[in-house]
Amino acid sequence: MRILATYNLKGGVGKTATAVNLAWLAASEGARVLVWDMDPQGAASFYFRTRPKVKGGSKALLRGKHDLDELVVGTEYDNLDLLPADFSYRHMDAHLKDRNRPVKQMLRLLRPLSENYDYVFLDCAPSISVVSETVFKVADALLIPLIPTTLSLRTFYQILDFLERKKLRHVELLPFFSMVDRRKKLHNQIIEELPAKWPRMLHTKVPYASEIEKMGVNRAAVGDYARSTPSAVAYRALWNEVKMRLGLV
Amino acid sequence: MANETLQFLIPARTPVESLKSELLQEFALADVGESQRRRLFYDTFDWRLFRHSLTLEEEQTDHGRRLVMRDLDSGAVQRWVDNVEMPRLARELSRGPFRERLLELTAMRALLPVAELRSHTYQLRLRDKEEKTVARIELELAALNGDARVRRLPKRFQVLPVRGHPEHTRQLTDFAAGKLALPPATSSLLEDALAAIGQQPAGYSNKPAVQLDPAEPAQHAIRRILASQLKIIEINVPGTCQYVDTEHLHDLRVAVRRTRSLLGQFRKVLPEAETAPFRQEFAWLGTITGPCRDLDVHLLDFDSYQARLKPSMQPALEPVRRYLVRQHSTEQRRLREWLASPRFRALLANWQKFIDTPDDGPPEASRPVRELADAKIRAQYQTVLKRGRSIGNKTADAKLHKLRIHTKKLRYLTELFRELYPDKQITRFVTSLKRLQQNLGEFHDYCIQIDALGAIADDMAQKKLAGAETMKAIKTLTGKLEKSKRQARRQYAEIFSSFDEAKNRKKARQLFHGKNN
């Protein structure tokens, strides 16, 4: 089982769209996939038409009162399941802090899933917290969508600083450009500059596109309702690149 | 959920449309529409998927094609992969979880079409307030495809659960069983389809269980066992000739070896004068099928050969693969000719005639089979123990090979007569024997591989088929195989002594009624 987290300190950069679309692509290739919507805003749950509610909330969940497996629900797609969000996840940080050794606790929750799933996507909330720090420790890779803007770059460097300070070097960092608008001069400039400084960046650029925005209307993965559009093609390319980087192809 | 009935049959006279109306009146269902599907079911020659209660199908609709692995009974999707054609072998699929699972189930066996259906399906979805599907219904009208006559299968009402919503599934199944009074389906769609074309699923096994009566005269029992082996040989001839996969030849050869082993061990049960020429002919069959099998094994092992080398050296081994493929093609052509020859046909026909004509003359022909099987297994077990104990660190390799042959003979005896013994005990005995056999087999394989690589290297050098890089790769690989061979040899002592433990000997003594060990 591979654990892939979609993360950025900044909100509105396309984390959830990435988690949902890559999870859908993985499932369409024969993988059994779980998306854990860790963001109390519950956007991934919304896309999967599921009420953001978890029995007992994050406290019960982290106490191990229920196995994660019991809380999982199916989605519109075969082999793609969801662990929904819950509004109480906003206190997850405090609940995780209460536990001794949060990483161990998180792994204890995730480990039993390995028999049922090939991939777990963790769709994280936009913050730096005990939760995100724990995610950095348990995930195999961090998918970091970056809008090519100055502010977005700033948060990326903040993430890198944080990982360096905490000596979190094992996790594979997979930043990529998201919501790219080629008509904007600044976008083009940053797309040129950043890979020169950070050559391990993924090459795929997910465009800013109305098909992606329509995910909220269709409540489905882009590839499901707009299969041949540039956005669907970009997510497919992104997924192939991720698999390549993780040695899965 | 596992035991809940999810599939029901729709009586032939009940129109699907009226059933659909009743459902729509009772539940707030979304009518997703109707679709035409072509469902082509696949399995291996020995029904590996069916035996795991799974089906594999290539499903084609107007929207595209997908491969689907389903649970046989519930029809629930276990895995699916989009836009992919069914490969001949699982390993030909692109890397990914679907391939890994299919490979785990089918290994080197080819995927063969077993039934083709055309179906018209009505799809309904039960949705909650969030517009989320919480259960699905499919009303399927399937017909067999493949010949001029269309054969309709019983119409099906299927509930497909969505995880986390068992209450909705129950509402639908209760309605199907209660209000609609639909009978539960007692067999799966695939089984219905196979029954309609007169096919028996799981009809082939390379380990047929011949029912034996312990008091049955030995000759009858052995002739029946030999008949079962002849069937395995015959059924695998077409697959061997067409090279469907490597296992047809493998199963054929195993059946030949079992036959030869029985002929050798039961000389006093079968008339010696008549069996002597068959012994010779089956030895010939073993010889002519050998080269192809050896090349099959090299090709099956090839990826593991490459994996033993560092990545930069791996491509240098490719000329060896090409050489093996060419050799295989030559040997396969030769084998096909042998298997079409009058000599081979005569062997099978005469052998069948011999099996069908009992002769009560030989001294042990009418001895109860259990008694004879006990004696033979005991004697062979003693031989294995005696030879096994005599092997030390410095014993010549040839002695280990001899021991391997004796353990094989013991394995054949225990497997062929296993019906005479309590299942649990005989399985335990075979398991401990298998461990020893595996060690000896590994050691033997390394010896064969090292020798074969030497011969391949010489031949390739002579024919100028290999450059310096390839020769270096072969040399490195040989060195690694030598190391593994030494390791297998070192493990032998521990594995044999575990097989030879007093408690195991005692169990064997009890099982085969022997007195002295």
Side-chain angles (χ1 to χ4, degrees):
Chain A
M1 184 178 80
R2 301 288 179 130
I3 302 172
L4 309 176
T6 51
Y7 174 79
N8 196 325
L9 180 55
K10 190 174 171 346
V13 294
K15 286 188 301 290
T16 304
T18 304
V20 169
N21 285 306
L22 298 197
W24 181 83
L25 284 163
S28 72
E29 289 176 352
R32 291 172 308 175
V33 185
L34 175 72
V35 174
W36 182 357
D37 186 355
M38 300 182 89
D39 187 342
Q41 293 177 55
S45 305
F46 176 78
Y47 285 150
F48 287 124
R49 304 175 182 213
T50 301
R51 205 157 63 96
K53 181 81 194 142
V54 169
K55 208 170 160 187
S58 72
K59 198 168 181 179
L61 192 144
L62 292 170
R63 277 189 181 165
K65 216 170 166 188
H66 311 284
D67 285 342
L68 285 195
D69 208 39
E70 290 171 29
L71 306 170
V72 168
V73 295
T75 67
E76 298 295 303
Y77 309 113
D78 288 319
N79 284 351
L80 175 47
D81 293 341
L82 172 76
L83 181 59
D86 190 281
F87 198 51
S88 66
Y89 283 2
R90 66 195 192 282
H91 304 305
M92 199 191 261
D93 217 46
H95 295 148
L96 201 58
K97 257 189 220 160
D98 286 348
R99 314 296 304 169
N100 277 334
R101 307 165 83 183
V103 172
K104 204 175 162 194
Q105 175 63 11
M106 185 73 91
L107 285 172
R108 200 182 65 77
L109 287 171
L110 289 168
R111 213 167 273 139
L113 300 173
S114 65
E115 278 187 18
N116 297 329
Y117 297 101
D118 302 301
Y119 297 108
V120 173
F121 284 85
L122 305 176
D123 187 27
C124 304
S127 66
I128 280 195
S129 59
V130 177
V131 177
S132 44
E133 194 179 332
T134 309
V135 166
F136 300 159
K137 287 177 184 166
V138 301
D140 294 293
L142 284 191
L143 282 148
I144 309 171
L146 298 172
I147 306 177
T149 60
T150 321
L151 268 186
S152 194
L153 281 192
R154 194 172 153 261
T155 55
F156 177 55
Y157 288 122
Q158 283 173 331
I159 296 166
L160 293 181
D161 272 354
F162 180 80
L163 292 169
E164 192 52 43
R165 260 188 290 123
K166 295 279 179 177
K167 296 191 171 60
L168 297 169
R169 290 173 191 135
H170 86 283
V171 64
E172 178 84 30
L173 296 185
L174 303 173
F176 64 95
F177 288 117
S178 164
M179 302 171 81
V180 172
D181 187 345
R182 287 291 196 175
R183 291 166 305 182
K184 292 183 177 168
K185 201 175 156 194
L186 182 65
H187 277 212
N188 288 325
Q189 191 187 331
I190 291 175
I191 283 171
E192 281 291 306
E193 286 170 7
L194 187 61
K197 289 184 202 155
W198 227 84
R200 284 187 60 74
M201 248 194 110
L202 297 179
H203 296 106
T204 308
K205 292 155 195 77
V206 176
Y208 176 78
S210 59
E211 298 102 49
I212 301 174
E213 283 188 329
K214 280 184 193 151
M215 281 176 73
V217 180
N218 293 319
R219 298 177 83 176
V222 174
D224 187 24
Y225 61 85
R227 184 177 284 252
S228 320
T229 57
S231 314
V233 172
Y235 278 122
R236 191 169 289 279
L238 179 66
W239 177 231
N240 286 335
E241 217 185 339
V242 169
K243 284 189 293 175
M244 191 93 80
R245 281 285 287 273
L246 297 178
L248 300 171
V249 281
Chain B
M1 185 73 68
N3 296 322
E4 196 178 345
T5 301
L6 298 167
Q7 295 200 22
F8 300 85
L9 296 181
I10 304 171
R13 275 171 295 176
T14 308
V16 170
E17 288 291 350
S18 75
L19 210 61
K20 201 174 122 184
S21 308
E22 279 195 69
L23 279 164
L24 289 168
Q25 270 173 24
E26 183 73 22
F27 300 100
L29 292 167
D31 188 349
V32 187
E34 299 168 33
S35 67
Q36 300 286 345
R37 275 192 289 177
R38 175 177 171 265
R39 302 177 68 174
L40 191 50
F41 289 87
Y42 284 78
D43 209 330
T44 62
F45 187 70
D46 52 359
W47 299 91
R48 292 184 183 198
L49 297 164
F50 186 85
R51 287 175 205 278
H52 279 88
S53 292
L54 292 169
T55 64
L56 173 69
E57 64 187 281
E58 189 181 81
E59 190 182 86
Q60 227 174 333
T61 63
D62 295 341
H63 304 296
R65 186 202 309 263
R66 66 177 194 163
L67 304 188
V68 194
M69 203 185 282
R70 289 177 201 271
D71 179 73
L72 175 72
D73 297 316
S74 69
V77 173
Q78 292 244 331
R79 286 182 184 275
W80 61 289
V81 57
D82 218 5
N83 288 320
V84 173
E85 276 183 46
M86 188 68 72
R88 193 178 70 88
L89 296 162
R91 68 178 160 85
E92 289 165 8
L93 284 167
S94 309
R95 264 185 76 187
F98 191 92
R99 176 190 187 267
E100 302 322 316
R101 178 68 182 134
L102 195 56
L103 201 53
E104 189 186 353
L105 291 160
T106 63
M108 65 286 272
R109 294 243 62 160
L111 298 160
L112 307 170
V114 292
E116 185 179 351
L117 299 178
R118 296 247 171 214
S119 69
H120 187 92
T121 310
Y122 297 80
Q123 289 166 320
L124 300 161
R125 290 182 173 205
L126 186 59
R127 288 190 165 141
D128 66 7
K129 284 181 205 156
E130 297 280 327
E131 287 291 293
K132 182 193 174 183
T133 304
V134 287
R136 284 180 254 182
I137 300 174
E138 285 188 359
L139 308 173
E140 185 168 14
L141 283 73
L144 268 162
N145 206 25
D147 58 22
R149 198 158 59 94
V150 175
R151 275 173 287 187
R152 294 191 192 289
L153 297 177
K155 293 180 275 189
R156 277 175 185 261
F157 177 109
Q158 160 136 41
V159 179
L160 294 155
V162 172
R163 186 172 180 170
H165 303 281
E167 68 286 4
H168 297 102
T169 301
R170 210 165 306 119
Q171 278 175 15
L172 295 173
T173 53
D174 285 353
F175 186 71
K179 183 92 185 287
L180 299 176
L182 300 178
T186 51
S187 51
S188 64
L189 181 66
L190 175 63
E191 284 165 298
D192 282 359
L194 292 171
I197 51 173
Q199 266 251 45
Q200 176 78 29
Y204 171 78
S205 164
N206 62 357
K207 286 181 193 139
V210 178
Q211 295 298 320
L212 298 172
D213 173 0
E216 187 180 357
Q219 190 197 163
H220 294 173
I222 286 164
R223 280 176 195 268
R224 287 198 301 119
I225 295 172
L226 287 169
S228 73
Q229 298 308 307
L230 175 58
K231 244 186 213 149
I232 295 178
I233 296 173
E234 283 173 330
I235 206 169
N236 279 297
V237 170
T240 301
C241 290
Q242 291 155 27
Y243 195 43
V244 171
D245 61 38
T246 55
E247 298 315 282
H248 286 283
L249 176 60
H250 177 248
D251 285 5
L252 186 150
R253 279 174 56 80
V254 170
V256 169
R257 280 204 302 271
R258 286 181 187 144
T259 302
R260 290 177 65 196
S261 186
L262 285 175
L263 282 175
Q265 304 245 7
F266 294 92
R267 291 178 191 224
K268 289 180 185 165
V269 174
L270 302 168
E272 170 73 16
E274 285 179 56
T275 54
F278 285 118
R279 279 208 299 278
Q280 207 179 335
E281 285 304 276
F282 279 114
W284 164 75
L285 192 48
T287 310
I288 61 158
T289 51
C292 256
R293 177 62 194 165
D294 291 345
L295 288 159
D296 275 344
V297 174
H298 284 310
L299 286 166
L300 287 170
D301 286 343
F302 203 84
D303 289 346
S304 75
Y305 287 169
Q306 269 182 324
R308 285 172 179 269
L309 302 175
K310 56 184 180 189
S312 61
M313 199 182 248
Q314 288 175 4
L317 216 54
E318 280 305 320
V320 179
R321 193 199 297 265
R322 289 197 290 274
Y323 172 87
L324 290 170
V325 169
R326 265 200 307 274
Q327 292 279 102
H328 187 275
S329 151
T330 308
E331 289 300 336
Q332 175 68 25
R333 202 169 44 243
R334 214 169 274 165
L335 177 61
R336 223 177 8 243
E337 283 166 15
W338 282 122
L339 295 182
S341 70
R343 184 175 176 181
F344 177 69
R345 283 163 198 261
L347 168 61
L348 296 197
N350 294 337
W351 183 234
Q352 180 75 64
K353 212 160 129 193
F354 169 81
I355 290 170
D356 294 342
T357 322
D359 176 348
D360 295 328
E364 293 191 332
S366 34
R367 207 171 150 191
V369 63
R370 169 68 195 255
E371 206 181 292
L372 200 66
D374 277 347
K376 289 291 174 195
I377 295 174
R378 251 178 1 238
Q380 193 59 36
Y381 179 52
Q382 288 301 338
T383 306
V384 168
L385 291 182
K386 202 173 147 196
R387 284 185 174 262
R389 286 169 191 160
S390 73
I391 288 170
N393 289 340
K394 291 185 178 154
T395 313
D397 289 356
K399 279 208 163 188
L400 272 104
H401 299 328
K402 274 268 181 213
L403 176 63
R404 187 181 67 86
I405 305 285
H406 283 289
T407 55
K408 253 190 180 182
K409 285 184 180 172
L410 179 57
R411 171 89 175 268
Y412 294 152
L413 284 172
T414 49
E415 277 181 352
L416 294 171
F417 293 105
R418 69 173 298 147
E419 291 295 311
L420 294 169
Y421 300 95
D423 192 51
K424 206 171 154 189
Q425 280 102 308
I426 194 79
T427 303
R428 200 182 297 133
F429 181 79
V430 171
T431 307
S432 73
L433 179 61
K434 263 187 195 169
R435 190 163 172 249
L436 175 62
Q437 251 191 311
Q438 198 183 344
N439 171 257
L440 293 167
E442 266 175 26
F443 177 74
H444 177 71
D445 287 349
Y446 291 132
C447 294
I448 294 287
Q449 286 166 353
I450 292 161
D451 287 353
L453 279 173
I456 290 167
D458 289 348
D459 196 38
M460 287 181 82
Q462 207 183 352
K463 292 174 180 161
K464 297 196 169 42
L465 294 170
E469 290 294 305
T470 299
M471 297 309 271
K472 193 178 159 197
I474 295 176
K475 200 176 163 196
T476 309
L477 175 61
T478 308
K480 301 221 177 238
L481 292 170
E482 288 278 6
K483 201 174 158 193
S484 299
K485 176 184 148 182
R486 285 195 294 275
Q487 199 181 347
R489 176 79 196 238
R490 276 197 299 275
Q491 285 164 347
Y492 166 78
E494 182 265 318
I495 290 169
F496 180 78
S497 65
S498 145
F499 179 74
D500 193 22
E501 269 178 30
K503 62 173 187 192
N504 290 338
R505 290 203 308 272
K506 190 179 167 195
K507 279 179 194 157
R509 197 161 54 228
Q510 284 163 350
L511 186 58
F512 306 119
H513 293 197
K515 286 170 191 129
N516 308 308
N517 267 329

